[in-house]
Amino acid sequence: MIPVQGLERQKVAVLGLGRSGLSAARALRAGDVQVLCWDDNPKARAVAEKEGFTVRSLKGAEDFEGIARLIVSPGIPHLYPAPNPVVAAALAASVPVDNDIGLFFQSFATLAWDKFDVAPRVIAVTGSNGKSTTSALIHHILEHVGRSAQLAGNIGRGVLDLDPAVDGDVVVLELSSYQTELARSLTPDIAVFTNLSPDHLDRHNGMGGYFAAKRRLFAEGGPDRAIIGVDEREGLFLAGQLAEAASDDRVIRISVTRKLTGPGWDVFARKGFLSEYRRGAQVASIDLRQVAGLPGDHNHQNACAAYAACRSLGLAPKVIEAAFHSFAGLPHRSQTIAQANGVRFVNDSKATNVDSAAKALAAFRNIRWICGGLEKDGGLDGLADASGGVRKAYVIGREAAAFAMQLTVDTEVCGTMETAVTRAVAEAEPGDVVLLAPAAASFDQYDSFERRGEDFTNQVKKAIGQG
């Protein structure tokens, strides 16, 4: 646990008592802070009370008298589409609003670091797609070389559940826009921006607000090194804002759409090869085509980002390349779950938006595509150019018929995962890939994308006789 520093003997309120909320409450208590908790869910309140926390409703500005800060869990809106009533009450009472990420950056460094030979480092990864894989890959590479490393944030443990740093420790944080937009302190040593595509637009009041939430990690964090995906205009703009000159190698630009050979520091992947250029000259190259855990251009972008982060820590290209080959990938992200009768079955349930689904489709050929779910804002037009490898789509979800009408490929309305898998298996031929890449949220039928991916896996195993 990371005890919170700087709020000793003060009173702090915590709103939302899920994983991050309870973790924040415990870390605050460990830092000699008086903690008040609230959650609209009675079961969550009961858990907090059982741990000895004071649970109290915080509905009006008068309830915040004497409270130094309100800590808000990521899923709770604080501005758009409308602030939660508790957040509104805190703001009306002039109480600062923060989250566990802000508390972490405020509290991670301690006086014990003065005795370390190598100061601990924090790598923070954000972006629309690829955050989890990039973060896990960086962590994997560090473990591969025997470096002390911890993984947390939107993946793995809550940030305040991390162990106190040891000499030379590296903390890798996956941070969502919900986390970066509210944290009052953001001070990573290395910050990574993978890409940007429409997502969570209601929460951020459009693309401008969404980009602004991501940008805070760099503009307010002031990292020593920024690794920026420049395949979208927002990333290109961000890189330009951060660099003092074209040759400023504090900014590492990454791409999977074009060759980058400027006067600075560039990492890009084309036709399956990752290349590192510095001052216009190539210094390293890695063949990614044989790396089983990183299939497709979208994973090659993740590889570029992770490579750049580890090179920033001084790791050698050959060491990073060796670690790539032992990376198994993450569950529900281009994960091969079975092969039978010449057919490959791939679970990419994490492809919850159009852009991530399009990238999954681009990674394979002869696709039996299982898609559908709770459609997000913006429609499905972005899938038209990516569906050339699709032989047929099998659509699930409560609104499967409406979803299917927007697709430009042969479709079959299936409704349930069981029906979709059964039909895809029945029609699949050797060389085909049965791919779950929903391009939609899961909440119309499942409580998470993980549950959806698990159902796909179970249905596949049953259908091919491995269940």
Side-chain angles (χ1 to χ4, degrees), residues 136-462:
L137 181 55
I138 294 170
H139 182 255
H140 171 78
I141 295 167
L142 293 169
E143 287 197 322
H144 176 86
V145 300
R147 188 83 176 259
S148 174
Q150 302 185 73
L151 179 64
N154 211 38
I155 184 175
R157 292 184 285 176
V159 291
L160 294 169
D161 287 332
L162 289 169
D163 299 325
V166 298
D167 197 336
D169 204 11
V170 180
V171 169
V172 185
L173 301 181
E174 179 198 339
L175 300 182
S176 72
S177 57
Y178 291 4
Q179 294 168 311
T180 58
E181 73 171 342
L182 192 57
R184 297 179 67 85
S185 179
L186 283 168
T187 54
D189 299 284
I190 300 169
V192 180
F193 178 90
T194 58
N195 51 58
L196 196 77
S197 61
D199 208 358
H200 311 303
L201 299 188
D202 57 338
R203 173 66 178 262
H204 299 294
N205 201 35
M207 278 294 288
Y210 181 43
F211 176 53
K214 301 286 189 185
R215 182 181 174 276
R216 286 190 78 244
L217 182 64
F218 303 85
E220 299 193 21
D224 295 333
R225 179 151 282 126
I227 297 160
I228 310 292
V230 295
D231 288 338
E232 292 86 29
R233 60 184 179 183
E234 291 88 354
L236 198 61
F237 176 79
L238 180 59
Q241 278 198 315
L242 296 173
E244 292 294 331
S247 59
D248 186 353
D249 66 4
R250 293 174 303 171
V251 176
I252 305 177
R253 292 167 173 83
I254 62 172
S255 175
V256 289
T257 63
R258 64 188 186 278
K259 184 177 182 179
L260 302 175
T261 57
W265 194 349
D266 302 312
V267 178
F268 61 90
R270 294 188 69 198
K271 299 181 180 179
F273 286 86
L274 180 153
S275 297
E276 177 188 0
Y277 274 69
R278 299 191 74 170
R279 298 182 178 89
Q282 185 172 351
V283 297
S285 178
I286 296 175
D287 185 354
L288 297 174
R289 295 172 301 173
Q290 305 304 316
V291 180
L294 296 168
D297 284 349
H298 61 306
N299 275 311
H300 293 176
Q301 183 181 59
N302 300 333
C304 287
Y307 176 92
C310 292
R311 288 287 284 144
S312 296
L313 293 174
L315 273 63
K318 289 297 183 183
V319 169
I320 299 172
E321 180 178 9
F324 279 172
H325 285 280
S326 60
F327 181 66
L330 290 179
H332 315 295
R333 298 161 176 87
S334 295
Q335 176 193 20
T336 297
I337 58 168
Q339 296 192 54
N341 303 317
V343 178
R344 182 178 178 183
F345 297 87
V346 178
N347 169 20
D348 204 332
S349 184
K350 185 61 172 66
T352 58
N353 58 41
V354 167
D355 185 67
S356 56
K359 289 175 178 176
L361 290 172
F364 304 101
R365 295 290 179 268
N366 302 319
I367 301 168
R368 303 282 174 176
W369 178 27
I370 298 177
C371 57
L374 188 62
E375 187 179 337
K376 295 187 175 181
D377 292 342
L380 305 178
D381 291 345
L383 292 169
D385 294 337
S387 54
V390 175
R391 300 190 66 181
K392 185 175 179 179
Y394 306 82
V395 187
I396 64 173
R398 293 180 185 172
E399 303 297 330
F403 194 100
M405 288 180 65
Q406 300 181 65
L407 302 180
T408 59
V409 297
D410 182 25
T411 63
E412 181 175 337
V413 175
C414 297
T416 67
M417 186 70 73
E418 181 179 16
T419 301
V421 170
T422 299
R423 295 292 300 139
V425 170
E427 296 184 348
E429 300 173 354
D432 285 356
V433 174
V434 176
L435 170 67
L436 171 65
S442 61
F443 302 119
D444 59 334
Q445 292 180 310
Y446 305 92
D447 62 7
S448 68
F449 73 84
E450 291 96 341
R451 299 292 85 75
R452 178 171 59 191
E454 289 165 4
D455 189 21
F456 172 71
T457 300
N458 292 335
Q459 297 299 337
V460 165
K461 290 182 177 180
K462 183 171 71 172

Side-chain angles (χ1 to χ4, degrees), residues 3-47:
V4 171
Q5 299 184 65
L7 293 168
E8 293 84 356
R9 294 177 296 281
Q10 297 186 61
K11 189 183 296 184
V12 173
V14 176
L15 175 62
L17 299 172
R19 184 191 71 166
S20 67
L22 272 177
S23 172
R26 296 177 188 124
L28 285 161
R29 184 165 60 186
D32 193 24
V33 177
Q34 183 180 346
V35 185
L36 302 177
C37 298
W38 182 254
D39 193 300
D40 290 337
N41 186 336
K43 292 182 179 179
R45 297 199 299 268
V47 170

